[in-house]
Amino acid sequence: MPMEHPVRIDGPPTAAPELAAIRLIALLPQGWKADLIGCSGPTAAIILTVPDGMEPSGVNATVDEILSHSALRGWTRAPRTT
């Protein structure tokens, strides 16, 4: 069964989080799905649905790798606040 993994990304103060979320979603591995939960200021909140058995650390590593893409320069994965 696929697992849901919440992710927040933060960017520069004048950045467009909606555009960054679309770019991140476009670069997700095949078989991953995403739902944009919302955007506020320079932050986008996304729920990723990943294949069963994927550890959170692996999801985070994949998101960090995607955020290193030149189209997402200046964006970082925000730490979880729960």
Side-chain angles (χ1 to χ4, degrees), residues 16-52:
E18 299 87 354
L19 182 57
I22 290 168
R23 288 177 175 166
L24 183 143
I25 291 167
L27 293 168
L28 289 173
Q30 184 174 351
W32 288 35
K33 296 181 181 177
D35 289 308
L36 179 61
I37 302 303
C39 296
S40 177
T43 301
I46 302 164
I47 295 288
L48 299 177
T49 304
V50 301
D52 186 30

Side-chain angles (χ1 to χ4, degrees), residues 1-26:
M1 171 183 269
M3 298 173 22
E4 290 186 344
H5 186 83
V7 172
R8 284 183 348 158
I9 57 173
D10 290 327
T14 59
E18 299 87 354
L19 182 57
I22 290 168
R23 288 177 175 166
L24 183 143
I25 291 167

